[in-house]
Every structure is written in structure tokens, then in C-alpha cells.
Amino acid sequence: MPDNDAFPRRDFLVSSITAVGAVALAAGSNPAGAQEAKSAAPNADPSSGTLYSGDVIQGKKVISSLDIADLEPGMHAFYFQGVQMPSGQRWYVSVLVAKGSKSGKRIGLISGVHGDEMSPMHTIQTVMRQLDPAQMSGSVLAVLDVSRPAIEGMARRWPNSGRGVDLIDINRTFPGNENGPDAATRHAALVFNRLLRPNIDYAIDFHTAATGMDMTAFHLARMDLPEVKAMAELYPISQIFDNPAYPGLLASALIDAGVPAFTPEIGAPRILDHNMIPVFVEGTLNVLKHHGVIAGAIGRTGKDTNIFVGNRAHPVMASEGGFVELLVNLKDKVEAGQKVAIQRNTFGEVVAEYVSGVAGEVAARRTDATAEPGTMLLFVLYNEPVKDGALAYPE
Ligand SMILES: [Zn+2]
């Protein structure tokens, strides 16, 4: 679950360490280190070209920087060279590029920022299989497995080893820092600076609920940004949470860099949700049609599903430890004061009853039977006239 306190501290550390010159220390140690430190400088210039490492892994060429302008029209598959592991080997990121025969908008589709979220990857693979570059104007960049070490463990967070096992939520670190104090923050920056930012005009960063939770077909999207709103409403989904959520989100960092972006949530974590995936494939194809990347009639959109848009998410949080019985389902409308869950101890005695503090719609609910004090049991999406920033939220 989210950790609101981590971000300011990390941000402070990143600034301090950068200020004392981590690059200079690395450069002083040996010639190889010097070369590495030099190559770690941010690569903001999209005209610098695609850099091939010379390696080929499982038939895929390895790149350390991508410039889609270099590529021939067609479908391309690469491994992007991410940050090094303690063993000295690297985490590679799977990248697909569909480059159209004509120029046009450049769309980024991203999955695997959290490693326990599987349906996003399948959604993007399904979209990419339907693309014919010969018929396309512009390009689609698919970055499929951003947090490889988290994916290997079916875990939300990146297992960093610098100070003993330390789990880092990479979706609180974007745009990252290539000279940052941990591998995850450096990896975030490599992906952001050398893959995404130079190659996309619009982006969609697909997620699911966190482990232990389930969600409706849902977006986290800034509806105050017209270009984001236009894309978000092209999905035939149930709900939109109109809120900037956290600093450090990939979508927020992209917006700050001038790339309209939002965060769909494709139901439950850990599984391929074959009921929900087609909804997000259809919406994504609608976005590609909207931007003129592919031709064809727009499919079902939010107009067909009467999307409920809320600007606040009310968390119902466990106050006791024990076994939880939820009394409401996803999408149910609840009233303020309505009983939504009871909790029993090991003897079967009721130790807590929980009510919703607001009237709204159930957006997410716990699926694991147990909860400890502080565990989120339910999120109720609702509206308040004034938005005031970051909230606990299971993206
Ligand atoms: Zn996520």
C-alpha cells in the first residue's frame, strides 16, 4: 500500500547526494567507472539517436537509448538496458515499437511499473498485435515490464539491496534520477529519459489494484487537463478518479514534462482478467483512432457506460486485526453511515463494524480475508467541491 511519508525524505536525499557529486566519486574510482558516470548523464536530446549496445538477448537487440525517428517503418522489438543488479548484470526492459509508414502522433503504452499487475501487459500485447504499421500514421511505443525485479517476485515494489532488503515503490520516484541513491530511482530515470520522454506525445500507464484488493474498470485521470479528459472518456469503463494523486507517479512526471498521461486500473492484481482486458483494449484502440494513428470507427466509449466521475476517494480503514466480511460489492452505491464491513477475531466474535463516511460508489474492495489495523478495506469514490491533493489510494 502507498507510503505517503517516503517521498519527501527520498526527494531530500536525492537532492543532497546529487549536490555532493556522486558522479565525481564514481569517476575518480577507475576508468570504467568514469565511462559509466559519463554515460549516466541525462539524455534529453531526442536527436541523439538510438544506441545499440551490441548485445543480442533471446534474439532481441539491446538498446541503451531509443530514438524512434531512426527506425524504419514496421514493428520492432528490443531489450532496453536498465540499471545494473548487485551481480553486475542488468535489468532489461521489453520494448515494442510500431512505427507507421506515415508520420503522426506518438503514443506510449506502459505496464509493469508495479510487478504484481499482470492484466496491463496483456492489454498492451493485445493492442500491439492488432497494429499494422503499413496502415499507421505515427507510432506506438510499448514499454512492457518497467520493474523487472518486482515482476520476477510478483510484487508491487522493487527489491533494492543497498541497505539490506528495501522495497521501493518506483511509482513514487518518477521522473527518477540517473545519479540517485538507489537502483530503482536510477532505473526510473533511465526509462524516463532514454525511452519515454523523447519518443512520445501522449502516454497511458496501465495499472491494477494492489495485491489484496480488487477494483472496478477505472482510471486515475486529471479531468482538468482537456487532452487527458478526451482520452480518458474514450474507455467504456465504470469510474474515473479525477485527482492528481501522488507526486512521483509516472503519469504526473510525464504531464510535468509536457506529455498528457493518465493511469487506467484494470481490475484485480496478479491475474489476467479476461473480462476486463477487452474493455481497456477497446478504449486504447479508440485513443489511437482519436489521435489519427490508426483508422476506423470509434468503438464503445464512456458515453455507453455512463462513467461515474469522482474527485475524492474515501478509504475505509481497519481499526482492528481480524477477518473481514465485506457487505458491499464493487460499483455499489453507498450512503454516509451505511455499514459496509464487519470483522471477527479468531473466536468468531465481532470485533469491529465499519461504515462509509461518505455517499458515493465503491471503487475498490479488499479481497484478502484478513486485515490489520490500518489496512484499507474499501475505497468509496465521491465528489467534494474542493480538491486538495494527495490521498491514500491503491493504484
Ligand atoms: Zn500499480
Side-chain angles (χ1 to χ4, degrees):
M1 296 300 291
D3 175 6
N4 273 321
D5 295 327
F7 186 79
R9 183 176 58 82
R10 175 170 308 285
D11 200 36
F12 169 75
L13 285 170
V14 168
S15 344
S16 341
I17 289 172
T18 305
V20 299
V23 172
L25 289 172
S29 56
N30 61 57
Q35 193 178 11
E36 188 65 21
K38 191 178 171 190
S39 71
N43 174 20
D45 180 4
S47 65
S48 60
T50 301
L51 298 177
Y52 293 86
S53 75
D55 298 321
V56 175
I57 298 176
Q58 294 175 329
K60 310 290 194 297
K61 287 182 180 169
V62 174
I63 57 172
S64 58
S65 188
L66 176 68
D67 183 355
I68 291 178
D70 283 352
L71 305 180
E72 294 297 319
M75 192 69 79
H76 304 265
F78 302 109
Y79 275 122
F80 174 77
Q81 181 174 282
V83 77
Q84 282 181 296
M85 309 174 208
S87 62
Q89 298 199 41
R90 288 186 182 269
W91 294 112
Y92 294 98
V93 178
S94 310
V95 175
L96 286 169
V97 181
K99 180 173 177 178
S101 57
K102 295 191 279 294
S103 62
K105 302 275 178 56
R106 306 170 306 161
I107 316 297
L109 306 178
I110 303 141
S111 59
V113 166
H114 290 136
D116 55 349
E117 303 181 359
M118 300 292 116
S119 291
M121 216 175 295
H122 196 278
T123 299
I124 297 178
Q125 292 165 355
T126 306
V127 168
M128 297 304 284
R129 274 199 301 275
Q130 295 187 35
L131 300 180
D132 176 3
Q135 304 297 323
M136 281 171 53
S137 303
S139 57
V140 180
L141 166 63
V143 178
L144 291 150
D145 48 357
V146 171
S147 294
R148 274 283 313 289
I151 290 167
E152 302 297 352
M154 187 62 95
R156 175 182 178 85
R157 291 175 294 174
W158 180 296
N160 195 60
S161 70
R163 294 173 290 270
V165 174
D166 189 11
L167 296 171
I168 295 177
D169 186 338
I170 204 170
N171 211 26
R172 300 292 179 272
T173 69
F174 285 102
N177 179 341
E178 293 195 15
N179 301 308
D182 57 70
T185 302
R186 291 182 177 223
H187 184 80
L190 293 172
V191 168
F192 194 86
N193 296 331
R194 297 163 186 247
L195 263 184
L196 295 174
R197 190 181 55 190
N199 290 297
I200 56 178
D201 303 313
Y202 300 91
I204 310 172
D205 179 27
F206 295 91
H207 285 250
T208 72
T211 285
M213 300 287 285
D214 193 5
M215 292 188 86
T216 63
F218 183 102
H219 291 328
L220 171 63
R222 293 266 310 269
M223 301 295 272
D224 57 319
L225 304 176
E227 292 187 294
V228 171
K229 181 172 187 283
M231 292 190 285
E233 289 179 338
L234 289 171
Y235 285 73
I237 58 169
S238 302
Q239 295 171 344
I240 292 177
F241 181 26
D242 171 19
N243 194 282
Y246 300 106
L249 285 184
L250 177 53
S252 302
L254 286 164
I255 288 169
D256 290 345
V259 178
F262 61 104
T263 309
E265 310 274 6
I266 313 177
R270 306 177 75 89
I271 61 166
L272 297 182
D273 186 334
H274 291 293
N275 291 318
M276 212 175 270
I277 287 168
V279 166
F280 286 88
V281 169
E282 186 167 7
T284 305
L285 291 171
N286 285 342
V287 169
L288 298 182
K289 291 167 186 168
H290 168 75
H291 287 303
V293 176
I294 61 174
I298 299 277
R300 292 176 305 154
T301 71
K303 286 198 181 77
D304 299 301
T305 51
N306 193 23
I307 296 177
F308 177 73
V309 181
N311 63 11
R312 302 296 296 266
H314 167 67
V316 177
M317 203 181 288
S319 60
E320 315 292 323
F323 305 85
V324 174
E325 296 160 51
L326 292 172
L327 307 176
V328 291
N329 286 312
L330 294 176
K331 280 185 74 175
D332 280 0
K333 292 194 189 312
V334 297
E335 295 301 326
Q338 181 178 333
K339 188 160 58 166
V340 292
I342 63 172
Q343 190 174 29
R344 297 177 190 272
N345 63 15
T346 48
F347 299 96
E349 300 157 351
V350 174
V351 293
E353 293 187 344
Y354 299 97
V355 298
S356 175
V358 300
E361 268 190 31
V362 176
R365 73 196 285 271
R366 186 147 178 87
T367 51
D368 281 5
T370 55
E372 62 189 10
T375 299
M376 302 296 173
L377 304 179
L378 213 64
F379 282 87
V380 179
L381 188 65
Y382 71 109
N383 276 290
E384 267 191 7
V386 180
K387 292 188 264 184
D388 66 352
L391 298 162
Y393 170 69
E395 110 296 322

